């Protein structure tokens, strides 16, 4: 029988190693994914949201600092880079569909990307948010790795941007299916493109749950919006902060 | 699979290096996607297996990563524990801005996509 004392030593040892929080991150996500599957992929049962809430509660409950958590979770975080690059594969596989839809893609990107930035800034302004908050909001529809770079470039706080990016992704992933159904849109290329543009990788992950075509267009939108936002964000900055 | 993972990392590395080295306004990962697509076109053969096939090393690596794309956002999302005070201070404004802007962006984007898409197929039929 192990005594509480030994358990405490075990905890001290494990808590200091990256292994614990890496395993917890993957384990919690697998459970959240199973819940999502059990719900029939109900958009409200979002695996990313469930995982984040669960792990935040675990960290608060065990008084674990985020830096200690991240020492383990960084291995998962790192693969965000190669995973973003991997979007080139579904893009290439669906090149015929993409070529056919080149005009709608270009038009939706040219209108959608500035809409994502300006609408957030305007709503926040109307509610009296201070400038640093608005700066961090500008790249909120772009995938985390790219958005943090844009925030740094325009003088926003990258950590704050990361939080806004993840929140936007979860909101988009939850809202897209009921919203598009309510609007009566059955074109999965258009639905996927909107999901990827408005809510980047988390919206793309949701789109892949719904259909492969939606996933490919979401991935495309996410990549194009990363590019578009990086180019346009300085102009938006000049507009709100002359 | 390992070979596929290598190709992804190499594209990311060259993308980041190009973006930094030439101080391009294009983010490194986006350049990485472009390099990967160029690589796939360069390796295309008129017949036989394609480098992006589901069974190819690159196909396996990409499918594996993209199937669990959501997981990769969890560590950054947990970072919210560090920003509780900011979120609490401006909670309402931020929440309304994020929800409102995401819904507006979804509707505007899908609307423009459908509008132009119908216009294109309409003029093709005419």
């Amino acid at each position: 029988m192990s005594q509480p004392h030994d358990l405490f030593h075990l905890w001290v040892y494990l808590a200091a190693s990256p292994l614990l929080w890496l395993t917890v991150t993957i384990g919690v996500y697998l459970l959240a994914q199973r819940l999502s599957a059990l719900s029939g992929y109900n958009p409200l049962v979002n695996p990313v949201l469930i995982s984040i809430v669960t792990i935040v509660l675990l960290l608060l409950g065990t008084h674990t600092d985020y830096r200690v958590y991240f020492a383990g979770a960084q291995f998962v975080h790192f693969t965000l880079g190669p995973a973003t690059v991997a979007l080139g594969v579904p893009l290439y596989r669906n090149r015929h569909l993409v070529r056919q839809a080149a005009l709608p893609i270009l038009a939706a990107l040219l209108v959608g990307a500035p809409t994502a930035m300006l609408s957030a800034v305007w709503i926040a302004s109307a509610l009296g948010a201070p400038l640093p908050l608005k700066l961090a909001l500008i790249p909120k529809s772009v995938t985390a790795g790219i958005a943090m770079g844009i925030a740094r470039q325009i003088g926003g706080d990258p950590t704050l941007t990361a939080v806004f990016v993840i929140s936007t992704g979860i909101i988009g992933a939850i809202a897209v299916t009921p919203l598009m159904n309510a609007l009566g849109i059955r074109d999965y290329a258009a639905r996927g493109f909107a999901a990827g543009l408005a809510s980047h990788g988390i919206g793309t992950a949701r789109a892949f749950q719904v259909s492969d075509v939606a996933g490919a267009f979401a991935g495309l939108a996410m990549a194009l919006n990363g590019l578009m936002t990086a180019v346009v964000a300085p102009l938006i900055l000049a507009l709100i902060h002359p | 699979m390992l070979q596929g993972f290598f190709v992804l990392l190499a594209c990311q590395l060259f993308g980041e290096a190009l973006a930094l080295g030439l101080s391009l306004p294009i983010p490194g990962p986006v350049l990485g996607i472009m390099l990967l697509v160029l690589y796939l076109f360069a390796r295309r053969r008129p017949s036989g297996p394609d480098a992006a096939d589901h069974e190819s090393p690159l196909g396996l690596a990409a499918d594996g990563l993209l199937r669990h794309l959501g997981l990769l956002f969890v560590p950054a999302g947990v970072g919210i524990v560090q920003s509780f005070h900011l979120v609490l201070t401006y909670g309402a404004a931020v929440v309304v801005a994020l929800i409102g802007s995401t819904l507006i962006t979804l509707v505007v984007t899908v609307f423009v996509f459908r509008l132009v898409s119908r216009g294109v197929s309409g003029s093709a039929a005419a």
Side-chain angles (χ1 to χ4, degrees), chain A residues 100-216:
Chain A
Q100 270 170 21
L103 273 180
I105 285 171
L106 204 63
L109 174 69
L110 284 174
V111 179
T115 303
M117 292 181 261
L118 285 173
S119 59
V121 170
W122 280 335
I123 296 174
S125 283
L127 297 173
L131 185 67
L133 213 63
K134 287 189 279 185
L135 292 182
L137 271 173
I138 290 177
K140 63 108 178 68
S141 280
V142 177
T143 192
I146 301 174
M148 291 168 80
I150 296 174
R152 215 169 284 126
Q153 197 189 345
I154 59 174
D157 174 7
T159 355
L160 202 54
T161 294
V163 173
F164 293 162
V165 165
I166 309 286
S167 313
T168 302
I170 292 169
I171 294 165
I174 290 176
V176 65
T177 304
L179 184 66
M180 296 302 160
N181 287 347
L183 294 171
I185 290 158
R186 278 183 294 272
D187 176 353
Y188 279 96
R191 288 171 67 130
F193 195 85
L197 188 140
S199 51
H200 57 89
I202 303 179
T204 301
R206 170 64 192 168
F208 272 115
Q209 275 187 343
V210 175
S211 99
D212 261 357
V213 171

Side-chain angles (χ1 to χ4, degrees), chain A residues 16-17 19 23 57 84 108 119 129-130 155 162 169 194 197 206 215 240:
Chain A
S17 115
L19 179 65
T23 313
L57 291 177
T84 307
S119 59
L197 188 140
R206 170 64 192 168
I240 64 161

